[in-house]
Amino acid sequence: ETGVTQTPRHLVMGMTNKKSLKCEQHLGHNAMYWYKQSAKKPLELMFVYNFKEQTENNSVPSRFSPECPNSSHLFLHLHTLQPEDSALYLCASSQVRGGTNEKLFFGSGTQLSVL
Amino acid sequence: DAKTTQPPSMDCAEGRAANLPCNHSTISGNEYVYWYRQIHSQGPQYIIHGLKNNETNEMASLIITEDRKSSTLILPHATLRDTAVYYCIVRVVTDTGNQFYFGTGTSLTVIP
């Protein structure tokens, strides 16, 4: 148990569906992240939120829409996805303090399949 | 862009030390080296990190070369539960915070 919970663990959706991934952290952290992990590729950073403000968007297509209502919750809204978007989506959190010991804590991920 | 390169796979005998190398030749002076591992169907788990000095904790040791262009993660007595993908990561400092750049990782198999 890392203190970061993602739901659902598995999701199958059609290309015309709209779904949302949820992430919740119980660590009191002030930064949250979405990563995408496709087979045989490095983890790709998608979005970063610091203190609820989006500070990074790594050229992610608009069919992925993040939302961070507070520092403990992060959502990824999905609509009109493509089959190549099938991947493991990982949420992480960290305590940004400008020091030396910042660490990422990951959830178990949502395995997404787009049909 | 991945800032690290690692061998794609390695084997290690159970009970022996596992030495996992990583090259990060473009690392800057204020960028830390982190190691995480990922067991199938789980999120990556923190192992250890360092800047320029060697580090040791209850899980592993991290050896960073003097020029900081490479490092080695050492698992002193590998067990079957250490079978996982190990990621060497450079933490980059930006204006808006820290970014963690993952490479493709090394798949370590511990053999009985």
Side-chain angles (χ1 to χ4, degrees), chain A residues 20-46:
Chain A
S20 295
L21 310 184
K22 179 182 176 182
C23 177
E24 183 174 2
Q25 58 97 359
H26 308 276
L27 301 168
H29 289 168
N30 54 23
M32 297 188 77
Y33 310 74
W34 280 116
Y35 281 86
K36 175 184 178 183
Q37 186 173 31
S38 304
K40 309 294 185 185
K41 294 176 69 174
L43 271 73
E44 301 171 52
L45 179 63
M46 300 175 72

Side-chain angles (χ1 to χ4, degrees), chain A residues 31-102:
Chain A
M32 297 188 77
Y33 310 74
W34 280 116
Y35 281 86
K36 175 184 178 183
Q37 186 173 31
S38 304
K40 309 294 185 185
K41 294 176 69 174
L43 271 73
E44 301 171 52
L45 179 63
M46 300 175 72
F47 301 105
V48 181
Y49 279 81
N50 284 327
F51 296 95
K52 301 188 298 177
E53 298 297 321
Q54 184 175 315
T55 57
E56 194 76 25
N57 176 341
N58 276 347
S59 303
V60 180
S62 60
R63 56 186 185 269
F64 295 92
S65 174
E67 178 189 2
C68 188
N70 55 62
S71 58
S72 298
H73 294 85
L74 184 65
F75 295 89
L76 188 62
H77 304 299
L78 317 171
H79 63 97
T80 58
L81 294 192
Q82 305 299 311
E84 60 265 28
D85 296 322
S86 298
L88 180 68
Y89 288 85
L90 289 159
C91 173
S93 71
S94 71
Q95 184 65 18
V96 177
R97 56 170 82 87
T100 63
N101 290 319
E102 182 180 353

Side-chain angles (χ1 to χ4, degrees), chain B residues 7 13 21 25 28 32 50 57 60 66 70 75 79 84 88 93 103:
Chain B
S25 58
S28 298
Y32 283 72
N57 63 21
E66 192 168 342
S70 66
L75 307 178
T79 70
C88 174
V93 179

Side-chain angles (χ1 to χ4, degrees), chain B residues 42-75:
Chain B
Q42 297 182 22
Q45 173 194 23
Y46 169 83
I47 300 173
I48 199 167
H49 74 284
L51 182 63
K52 53 185 178 181
N53 297 322
N54 297 338
E55 302 287 344
T56 295
N57 63 21
E58 65 278 6
M59 292 182 69
S61 294
L62 174 61
I63 308 299
I64 302 174
T65 57
E66 192 168 342
D67 62 7
R68 303 212 323 121
K69 293 182 183 298
S70 66
S71 61
T72 301
L73 178 74
I74 301 172
L75 307 178

Side-chain angles (χ1 to χ4, degrees), chain B residues 2-43:
Chain B
K3 297 180 179 291
T4 63
T5 55
Q6 301 174 252
S9 63
M10 292 181 63
D11 292 338
C12 177
E14 187 179 17
R16 298 292 189 118
N19 297 287
L20 293 97
C22 178
N23 288 321
H24 30 80
S25 58
T26 61
I27 196 169
S28 298
N30 63 347
E31 295 175 348
Y32 283 72
V33 177
Y34 281 68
W35 283 83
Y36 276 71
R37 73 179 182 185
Q38 186 175 25
I39 297 170
H40 184 61
S41 300
Q42 297 182 22

